[in-house]
Structures are given as C-alpha cells and as structure tokens.
Amino acid sequence: MSEQTATYGFMEPQSPPKTARKPFFKLLFGDLLSATLSAVTVLLLLALIPAFNWAVLDAHWTVRSPSDCQSGGACWAFIGAKARLILFGLYPPSEQWRAVLVILLIVGMILVSLSPKLWNARLLAVWGVAVGAMLILMGGGVAGLPPVPTSKWGGLPVTLMLAVLSLGLAFPLAVLLALGRRGRLPIPRAVSIFTIELVRGLPLVGLLFVAAILLPLLLPPGWTIDKLGRTLAALTIFAAAYLAEVIRGGLQGLDEGQIEAAEALGIPYWKMIWHIVLPQAIQNVIPPLTNTAIVMVKNTSLVLIVGVFDMLSAARSATTDPAWPAPSTEAYLFVASIYFVICFGIAIYSRYLERGVAARTHG
Amino acid sequence: MISALWYSARVRAWAAQIALLAGLGLFLWMIVGNTVENLTARGIRTGFDYLWRPARFPISESIIRYDASDSFLWAYVAGLANTLWLSLLSIVFATILGLFVCLARLSHHPVLSYMTGVYVTVLRNVPLIVQLLFWYAIATSVFPAPRAALNPLPGLFLSIRGVYAPALIVEPGGWFFLIASAALFIVALAVGLWSARRARSFGAPILLAALAFWAATNVVLYVALGRPLKLEMPELNGLNFSGGTNLSPEFAAIIIGLTIYTSAFIGEIIRGGIEAIDKGQWEGARALGLSERVVMFKVILPQALRIIVPPMTSQYLSTVKNTTLAVAVGYPELGLVVNTVINQTGQAIESILIMLCVFLSISLSVSLFMNWYNARVALVVR
C-alpha cells in the first residue's frame, strides 16, 4: 500500500495528451453515429434549398411595377420601395432628416458609451442632454423646427427611443427596488417585493393594456399623457422589475465585509451605495444585465398590440398596400434582420465586457 | 434630547418608513378618487354583474363549447381554455424539439452543431411577435391551396386554409377504454416504482416489466371493446378537405412560432445544465467502471436536473405569458377576449383585473411549486 502511494508521489506532472486532429472525412463519416448525423445534416440542408431558391435565385430585386412580383420568389423590390415607411413611419418626409439625425444620435451615443473606461457622471450628463436633444428633434416646436405630434412619430427612431428610454429610466428605479428588497427596513422591503412580484407575474401585454386603456381613467381629469408616453411607462416598469431582480443577484453576491467595513469607517449610506456597493454589484451581473437589455429591445415590438407605430407596426401597415402582391414575409424578414443586428450586437458586446471583467479579476 | 432623536439611526429609519407609507397611501387615495370621478364623468357603471349577461360576440375558435348567447364569464373561460391549450401544446412540442436542439448542439459533428448554433442565435435575437407575424404571413400567403397542399408527414396537410391533421374518433366504449387505460397506467407505474425501489439492482427491469404488462392489457382491452378508437385521416374532396381536424392558420402560426422560439431557449437551458457538470464527475463515474447509461442516468442527469429545472420552469412560465402575443395574429386567447369585452362593454377595469388575476395566480402557483421542488432536490449538506 505504502509502495503504491510512493509511486504516485514520484509521478511527474504530465503535459496533457495531444489531441489528434481527426481527418475531416473521418470526422464526418468515421463511425455509425457521425454518419447518421451527417445524413441528417444533408437532409436538413436539402430542405433549405427551396427557401434559398425563393430568397435568392427566384427573387425580384428590382421591378418596374409592383405586379412584376407576381411569380414565385421573394420580392425584395418591395423593401426598397417601402423602406422609408418601415424605417420612419408616418413622419413627414420633408422633416425626415430629423428622424435620421435621431437615429444617428442614438447610435453615436451608444458607440461612445461602449468603453467601460468612460462610465462616469459626466457621461450620464451627456446622455441626459442627448435624450433631451432627441426629444426636441423628434417633436420640434422650438428653434424654427415645425412641430411633429407624437402620433406622427414612427419606425426605427420610436423603437430605439423606447428601448433606450425604458432601460435608462428603469435602471434607477430598479436599483431602488433591489436595495429595498435587500434592505433591513420592513416597509420598503414589502413594497419592493410586492411591486417586483406583481410586475413579473404579469405578461407585458397585460401591462400595456393597463397603460393604454386603464391609465387615462386613473389620472386626474384634464391630465393627458399621450399613448407613446403611457406605453413607455409600462415598458419602464416592466424593465425595472426584471432589472431589479438581476441587480439583487449582484447585491447578494457582494461580500458582506465590504458593507461592514464601509459602515465601520462611518461612510454615509448613500455614499456607500454609490461608491462601494453598486460598482461591485453591477460588475458581477453584467451578462444578465445585457441579457435584460436584449429582452427589452425585443419587447419594444409589443407596443404594436396597443397601436403605437414602432418599426414592426410600420412594416405591418406597409404590407397592406394592395398594389403589391402579398409581401408580408419579406417585410417581416427585413424587420427581423434589423432586430437581429441590434440584439446580436448587444450579445457580442456583453462577451467583450465579460472578458474585461475576467481580465481585471483574474489577471 | 431633540438632537439625540434627530441623529438616532432608528428614529430616522422609522420616520422615513412612515413617510413612505403615508406617501403611498396618499397616492392610492388620489388614484381611487380620480378613477371614481372619471367613471362618473363618463357614465361608466362598475361592478361584476355584467359577467352574467349574454356576451353576444363570437369567438372564432374555442376548445370548449362556446356560442354568442353564453355569458361574458363563459367567454373569459373559453379564452382562458384557449390560452392553456396553446401553452400546453407549445410547451410539450418545444421541450421535445429543444431536447433535439441540445443534442445536436452537443454532438461532435461540426456541421450539425454549427447549424444548430445559428438556429439558436437567430431565434433568440428576433422578437417573438415578429416571428409569429412571419409564420402567420407564411401560413396565409405562402402555403398552397388545399388541392396542392404540402404533405410533410402522412396524414398532415399544410394549406392556406389551415393545417389538417388526423382526428381521433372516439366510438362508444372509447371513453371507457381511455379512462381504464389511464388508471391502469397509474397503477402499473406506482407498483413498478414501488417495487423498483424495493429491489434496487433490478429496478429498471421491474419498471419495464410493469409497463410491458400495461401495454399488453391495453391491447387486450382494445380488442375486447371492439377497437373503440379510430384515426380519421383528412381527405381531399374537391376544393377542400373533409374529415380529420382542422387547425386555423392563426392557431398553426402560433403553435409553430411559439414552439420554435421556445425550443431555442430550452435547448440552451438543457445544454447549460449538462455542461455545468464538472468533467470530473464523468471521469470519476467511468473510472469506477459504470456503464455509459448508468453514468448518464444515475450520475450526470440527477445533478444536471438540479441546475436545469429552475430556469426551465421560468421558461415554461414565460411561454404561458407569451401566448398573449397571439393577440397580434388574432387567435382568441384570454388577452383577445379581454380586449373584445372592453370594446363591447367598456368594463375596462373589471376585465383587466380579471386578466391580471388569472396570470398572477398561474405565476404564483408555479413559483410555489418551484420552491417546493427546489427544497426537495436541494443538496443536503451534512
């Protein structure tokens, strides 16, 4: 027995065995299982051929008149003809540059904010100014810009603004809810738990119904918030409840000693939260936070149900043009690709952030 | 004295809490006041007595019997039944498909695993409502007329008028057969599990024997009752199909859309659970000389399930909530019924309250079950 232990003791640490790279043919058809899987794959790819034919080979890219799209393949010319309606909705064409500017402003601000090194109070202030500028640009009525009522807003700017504003407004609310739920005071805790569980138990469609139909009944007579504002409120509350649970996860992962040390040093509560608790808590939950951001971008499309003219509603109304034969599939594919670019972009960014966190904590 | 009170953390905390409570109370009181004022100004009567009046609007399809002379209450019930039916079907289908997605993703086959990766990424990054509208557009414009219907599986036809599938015809004695079969199944499973637990090493064979016994009795009973169940295949008669069951394009679009969307999430949840198991567990179990099957079912899966079940439940729960998106394509689930009732009667507060209560009770009962399950499977640390 002791001899055996001794042998183990003298074993040299070995380098991991070299994994032989199988030749490609053997990888695909080497044994029964992989051959079966290859057959399945081939069948799946064969099933995609009609879709490929429809989308590329038989497709109409440019047409002289809508009726040229009658036969077979996809009618991408429809997207070209309706891009303006899908992207900008009913926004007055003469003022369209303002909507374009809003999109550029949002994209630019997001690009500027990508690097975590720039996250500070000044960036927050710049965001505040930018959001104000967006609202003025879209709404007009000052500095010689003709006013455009929110009922004329539509398309991609509305989708982007709903996503950015709902997340931005929800974040501070979510922090308060999470702190309340984690805190020692019974009343804030009860209020937070009630709010979070209530909102998370409901489908967003239900909340949007509340905002669109019920909210006008709850406000004092004479007060009116337009539909866009009400749906934004519903999206904000929804996002706040989900973000609060994510942030609570971060708070739970925080070492208790951090708070005890801060209290022992006599640091006031809110300073401790701002400088010690939140930075660490949020860093721990970056992947689920970006996940919630993706979910919220996708959720903005639900405003279609209560009749807000976002990109999806604009696409749907574009398909009702009787001049074009049944172009819905193409329109939805176009909208889907825009959502995909945004959401997948956030997912890639999340991976980049995670690598940064990993490098700082382990490197 | 005063300054001692002013600087006391406890007094401050309580003062802040009382202020919060008072603020909330004032807020609620104002909202109730506003609502009452608005309702009287618009002449809307409140109360739930409208529930017993006849609804007088049609519901295009319903899995329980409903017609326009039924009450509003029954209209809600019909909507809820549709919601639950949609949820059940899409959860079952999505779980099966999700399992395949996970297996394909985990397979070492480079092309298949890459393709599944693309499938998952695309589906997860496009809003469900866009996908539903897309499938609805396919079902109403790309599917061919009934005469040229697509026939991907025997007895299943896809056409612009909807999906036709075989129908299960229950003849006299059929119900008796179904109930007896279900009862026998429960007995066989209970006896099988009980004796399997008693005789550990022969567990699986005993369970299999019990199920085989159940299957054999089923065959005997089925023949003895004169074959009381039949599958009726849809057949093309002239311009349309006769026989079989017809699923409307709306229903087909939602089932396809929800199933495919959810399968991407479920596939990732299962994969996450299996990949989270430490490699040492596989190696340790194999080093002990356990067979691959025992390694999978006795070592890996029990641990993976502990990780998989919580996100899976919340995925199921969000699938139930996601069925409300069926409003967008016009399938009459609870949300659409509520919307119709509001348009017909103006009873917005009551209708929305009913909808919120239904979803809250579903969510709460599922999370209670979750807590119970988590407590049951949690690691017992000794």
Side-chain angles (χ1 to χ4, degrees), chain A residues 38 185-188 191 198 200-201 205 217-221 242 298 301-302 312 316 328-329 339-340 343-344, chain B residues 17 24 34-35 37-38 42 109 121 124-125 127 129 134 137 261 321 324-325 328 348-349 352 356 359-360 363:
Chain A
S38 294
L185 303 179
I187 292 172
V191 171
L198 182 75
R200 276 162 39 96
V205 175
L217 289 175
L218 307 181
L219 292 173
Y242 282 83
K298 293 197 290 174
S301 56
L302 263 65
L312 182 59
R316 187 158 77 158
S328 326
T329 323
Y339 279 112
F340 179 79
C343 296
F344 194 52
Chain B
Q17 292 198 75
L24 281 178
N34 291 334
T35 314
E37 198 176 335
N38 283 321
R42 296 176 199 194
H109 193 281
T121 314
R124 276 158 50 108
N125 284 309
I129 191 165
F134 170 79
Y261 178 80
K321 289 190 270 178
T324 49
L325 298 193
I349 299 182
I352 289 178
L356 301 190
F359 277 102
L360 272 186
S363 302

Side-chain angles (χ1 to χ4, degrees), chain A residues 322-338:
Chain A
W324 295 83
S328 326
T329 323
E330 292 87 332
Y332 294 135
L333 281 176
F334 176 63
V335 171
S337 61
I338 295 180

